[in-house]
Amino acid sequence: MSLAYAGALLLSIAGLAVLDRRARILLFAGRTEAVRGAAVIAVGVTFFVLWDLVGIGLGVFFRGTTRYLSGLLVAPELPLEELGFLTLLSYLTLLVYLAAARWWLGRPTRRVTGPSS
């Protein structure tokens, strides 16, 4: 059993959270935004899990064999790591959309400054 892929996913999600916190885009922009953001991410993950289950049921999707997966399954042919990937995908997509909207609409961003020299 290897946790390499799961670890890489968790590290990537943590990296997104660091960027999110620094720019205060979603989960760190305030309580209301955090609740809304978490709900949107949950809806995205749920949608894609259902999509995966339909694909698995039709025989289109299947779990490949690799030494990087843990071997733990959430459902037949649905590895545990898929939930991490779908969370990463949903979080990243929402962050990119909101950051682009902020930039495109010219909304003021909070500037993070370092120590004065």
Side-chain angles (χ1 to χ4, degrees):
M1 174 161 76
S2 173
L3 298 176
Y5 184 47
L9 289 169
L10 288 175
L11 183 64
S12 299
I13 292 168
L16 289 178
V18 168
L19 292 173
D20 184 9
R21 181 166 188 239
R22 180 176 171 93
R24 300 190 191 287
I25 297 172
L26 182 63
L27 298 181
F28 298 94
R31 180 165 170 75
T32 303
E33 291 84 356
V35 170
R36 287 180 183 169
V40 171
I41 292 169
V43 167
V45 171
T46 301
F47 172 80
F48 284 116
V49 166
L50 292 173
W51 177 284
D52 282 351
L53 292 174
V54 169
I56 290 167
L58 294 172
V60 177
F61 300 155
F62 57 90
R63 178 177 53 100
T65 56
T66 177
R67 60 185 174 142
Y68 301 110
L69 292 176
S70 65
L72 301 173
L73 299 178
V74 177
E77 300 296 324
L78 186 64
L80 177 64
E81 290 84 358
E82 184 72 3
L83 299 179
F85 172 72
L86 296 175
T87 301
L88 175 70
L89 178 68
S90 297
Y91 191 18
L92 176 62
T93 302
L94 192 52
L95 283 177
V96 168
Y97 172 79
L98 292 172
R102 181 187 287 181
W103 177 79
W104 186 262
L105 296 174
R107 291 178 26 198
T109 58
R110 293 191 178 119
R111 190 173 258 184
V112 178
T113 58
S116 299
S117 314

